[in-house]
Amino acid sequence: MSNIEEIDMAFNNFGEYVRKVRKQYGMSLQDLADRTNLSPSFIYRIEVGKRQALLNSRLVILLCGFDWDTEKLMAYLEKVLMNIEEFKRITN
């Protein structure tokens, strides 16, 4: 998966992205929890769509869990900010 595809998937369906990448890395829920200081049950609920992850939790998972580099992280954050600006434009 290219960086652009990975960023798009993380942005559009974070839970699915987390599950896919965690399994690609051969990590259990506990392994990812240990890397991120988030509980395995919280991560599971994100993966199955029962819980929405706030931006800070998303960043912890991407940076600490999956070792995203600065370039990829900045592209992701740019997408988040563009979405916020679009929301503001629509609601004003």
Side-chain angles (χ1 to χ4, degrees), residues 46-85:
I46 291 169
E47 288 184 351
V48 299
K50 292 185 186 255
R51 181 80 188 243
Q52 292 295 321
L54 297 176
L55 183 58
N56 61 333
S57 296
R58 289 175 180 233
L59 297 179
V60 166
I61 291 169
L62 297 175
L63 288 169
C64 301
F66 301 144
D67 298 321
W68 273 29
D69 61 28
T70 304
E71 182 180 332
K72 195 187 300 186
L73 180 68
M74 293 306 290
Y76 178 79
L77 288 173
E78 184 177 316
K79 203 165 182 70
V80 169
L81 291 173
M82 286 179 3
N83 191 54
I84 291 169
E85 289 304 313

Side-chain angles (χ1 to χ4, degrees), residues 12-73:
N12 293 317
N13 194 337
F14 190 71
E16 183 181 323
Y17 173 78
V18 170
R19 174 166 272 177
K20 181 176 182 172
V21 174
R22 177 178 64 78
K23 290 184 178 232
Q24 282 178 347
Y25 283 18
M27 282 192 257
S28 67
L29 285 167
Q30 186 62 55
D31 293 334
L32 184 54
D34 290 344
R35 292 180 69 141
T36 60
N37 278 338
L38 300 170
S39 75
S41 61
F42 177 71
I43 295 168
Y44 173 78
R45 288 192 307 269
I46 291 169
E47 288 184 351
V48 299
K50 292 185 186 255
R51 181 80 188 243
Q52 292 295 321
L54 297 176
L55 183 58
N56 61 333
S57 296
R58 289 175 180 233
L59 297 179
V60 166
I61 291 169
L62 297 175
L63 288 169
C64 301
F66 301 144
D67 298 321
W68 273 29
D69 61 28
T70 304
E71 182 180 332
K72 195 187 300 186
L73 180 68

